[in-house]
Amino acid sequence: MKKRARKFRLESLEPRLLFSRSTPTLTKTAFFRSGSTAIVGHAIPEDTAVLSHGNRPTDGILFTLYAPSGSAVYSQWVNVHGNGTYHTTSTVVAQQTGKYTWRARYYGDSRNNSVNDQGGAAESLTVLAAPPPVTTPPPVTSPPPVTTPTTKPTGYETFYGTTGGDPNGAFKSTEAYYRYDWSQIEPAPGVYNFSAMDADFAAAEAAGQQYNFRIMPFEDGNAGPTGLKSLPGFSFNFGGVATWQPNLDAPAVQADLDKLFAALGARYGAHTGSVDVGWFGPYGEWSNYNEDVPPPLPSVTTWNWLIAETKKYFPSSAVVTQADVSYEYNQPAYLQAAMSAGAWQRFDSWGKSDAWDAQANASALATMQASPYWTKISTIGEPWDVSSWSAADWQSAVSFAESARMAMFSTKSVAVPTAELPLVEQLISFEKML
């Protein structure tokens, strides 16, 4: 009986304990990592709230994000395990201008009352239609020293290095060409890693060469600039591998690119011979090659903007777009727009290649030669494997180069046969006259 009575007495106390529940406080903290404003197309920062003065609180907090229209656009339940700081993992992208507001509610338990957040200095975020104007490039370390002004790039161009296909020293290369993955250069929005570019720039300087480069969105083995996924973009497969490409038409992506262009121009604008407009498609070749559910192609307006941005920040360099088997060949309006802006054209399958490439090059060249802007531009020749070229192939390639007003060419560092060196020297002499 005593044990039962004791149990009865303890159970009789439970209702009274419920009436003495704690009332915690739920306070917002400064969760905005990007400042007090954002841009349409950017992700809304996470919400953070501090739960305090609770009696061993459990259950959870419901975070809700409200758009400027007043509608709830996102909610997330976060389990509570005591007093402390709790936050969301939201990646919601702003779709409206105006004030977005986070609200939070702790739902209570047997020892704690439910409570709404008591507000805080950082509960609302103003979203703007356009980014504030860029007045200075993002802070980066000092650019490499430049000793030589930029000149028109001509002649033989080495590929991914400062030496190439000149086994006998018969001709000197004055241009070095490199490519980089976008993810390597910009691992997060506004965060830059120029170490590889700095090293190549310095190597070209030391070799007496001008620097030439392309930044590619993705290639084999690279999933794209996934560190920029807070910006609008597209997911798809490239060669069976999950890949991501920013939406170049999106204002937020263009705002990010403008800052990157400014940083690149401040760092390499002098002594850079040419810059490829390589921001879309595999290898930056403006195609949907080997893509599963490919993203839509950027607009002509965006194409013109990218060319203008490159010219703006590299005013002394040749701006280069793709002429042959990719975007421009299939979309003639882009070729005409590029030529009217004075952009050089890169023949990516110059010389011996399969019949389709040869026809594409010939058709593209015919279109270019019929353009009123033909005399404003030059071209660059980039082959496939020249190691299989015959003497007739070399002669044909050089003839095509002269017809195409080719100012620069590469063999991708495959050795030029000794017997063909006089022909290559003839081509270089022609190129230097352009």
Side-chain angles (χ1 to χ4, degrees):
M1 286 295 293
K2 290 182 179 179
K3 291 183 178 180
R4 292 185 62 186
R6 181 180 296 173
K7 181 177 181 183
F8 174 78
R9 285 196 298 271
L10 289 173
E11 290 174 349
S12 68
L13 290 175
E14 289 180 0
R16 285 192 291 168
L17 292 173
L18 294 178
F19 287 105
S20 61
R21 287 187 296 188
S22 299
T23 300
T25 58
L26 187 63
T27 307
K28 296 295 189 64
T29 61
F31 63 88
F32 295 136
R33 302 177 186 174
S34 304
S36 60
T37 60
I39 305 163
V40 169
H42 277 255
I44 300 293
E46 299 174 0
D47 192 13
T48 301
V50 177
L51 183 65
S52 56
H53 304 107
N55 180 12
R56 293 173 293 153
T58 58
D59 205 70
I61 299 172
L62 181 65
F63 292 87
T64 305
L65 177 64
Y66 294 89
S69 63
S71 61
V73 295
Y74 179 80
S75 62
Q76 182 176 350
W77 178 267
V78 179
N79 290 327
V80 166
H81 306 285
N83 294 313
T85 300
Y86 297 91
H87 60 85
T88 69
T89 55
S90 166
T91 56
V92 176
V93 174
Q95 303 293 335
Q96 305 174 24
T97 58
K99 185 172 288 187
Y100 279 78
T101 303
W102 278 107
R103 295 294 183 193
R105 176 177 175 81
Y106 169 60
Y107 271 75
D109 55 23
S110 61
R111 294 180 298 275
N112 297 273
N113 294 318
S114 63
V115 63
N116 292 323
D117 71 83
Q118 284 84 51
E123 65 181 10
S124 298
L125 174 73
T126 300
V127 174
L128 307 176
V134 178
T135 56
T136 56
V140 292
T141 56
S142 300
V146 175
T147 58
T148 312
T150 303
T151 59
K152 180 177 180 179
T154 60
Y156 181 75
E157 180 181 58
T158 57
F159 201 83
Y160 281 112
T162 59
T163 60
D166 179 16
N168 301 319
F171 53 87
K172 177 175 172 56
S173 172
T174 58
E175 309 294 328
Y177 180 62
Y178 301 86
R179 290 176 181 164
Y180 310 91
D181 292 320
W182 193 344
S183 59
Q184 176 186 10
I185 303 303
E186 189 178 13
V191 177
Y192 308 128
N193 179 2
F194 293 137
S195 57
M197 297 182 74
D198 283 351
D200 294 336
F201 186 95
E205 273 282 300
Q209 294 175 297
Q210 287 193 131
Y211 183 61
N212 302 258
F213 73 91
R214 174 194 294 175
I215 296 178
M216 308 176 289
F218 56 91
E219 58 177 323
D220 299 303
N222 181 271
T226 54
L228 306 182
K229 277 194 172 183
S230 59
L231 303 176
F234 308 100
S235 295
F236 52 94
N237 290 325
F238 170 58
V241 177
T243 307
W244 187 81
Q245 159 82 55
N247 179 4
L248 299 179
D249 289 331
V253 174
Q254 293 186 10
D256 180 81
L257 266 174
D258 180 75
K259 295 177 184 178
L260 177 55
F261 270 119
L264 290 168
R267 200 170 187 84
Y268 310 111
H271 203 198
T272 291
S274 69
V275 183
D276 284 10
V277 182
W279 300 99
F280 183 80
Y283 318 108
E285 293 179 353
W286 288 81
S287 73
N288 290 127
Y289 161 73
N290 207 19
E291 294 177 357
D292 183 11
V293 190
L297 302 174
S299 66
V300 177
T301 300
T302 295
W303 174 254
N304 286 328
W305 179 83
L306 287 166
I307 294 172
E309 282 282 289
T310 311
K311 292 172 69 71
K312 175 182 177 181
Y313 292 110
F314 289 86
S316 300
S317 306
V319 178
V320 184
T321 61
Q322 202 85 349
D324 52 344
V325 298
S326 305
Y327 199 39
E328 292 181 295
Y329 172 66
N330 294 309
Q331 305 286 339
Y334 291 78
L335 176 59
Q336 294 299 334
M339 292 180 66
S340 68
W344 287 23
Q345 301 300 303
R346 180 180 293 277
F347 283 96
D348 189 38
S349 297
W350 165 66
K352 183 181 180 181
S353 55
D354 63 34
W356 190 90
D357 289 325
Q359 178 59 42
N361 282 346
S363 298
L365 179 58
T367 301
M368 291 162 59
Q369 289 173 330
S371 169
Y373 309 109
W374 169 238
T375 57
K376 292 179 59 176
I377 70 165
S378 296
T379 67
I380 298 174
E382 180 185 322
W384 284 5
D385 184 5
V386 302
S387 63
S388 63
W389 286 12
S390 66
D393 293 329
W394 277 100
Q395 180 64 63
S396 177
V398 171
S399 297
F400 181 91
E402 293 186 357
S403 299
R405 294 175 49 81
M406 193 172 287
M408 190 160 57
F409 76 99
S410 172
T411 61
K412 292 188 173 178
S413 300
V414 177
V416 176
T418 301
E420 308 307 333
L421 288 176
L423 193 63
V424 173
E425 289 174 337
Q426 175 187 331
L427 173 58
I428 292 173
S429 298
F430 165 77
E431 290 172 334
K432 290 182 176 180
M433 291 189 296
L434 291 177

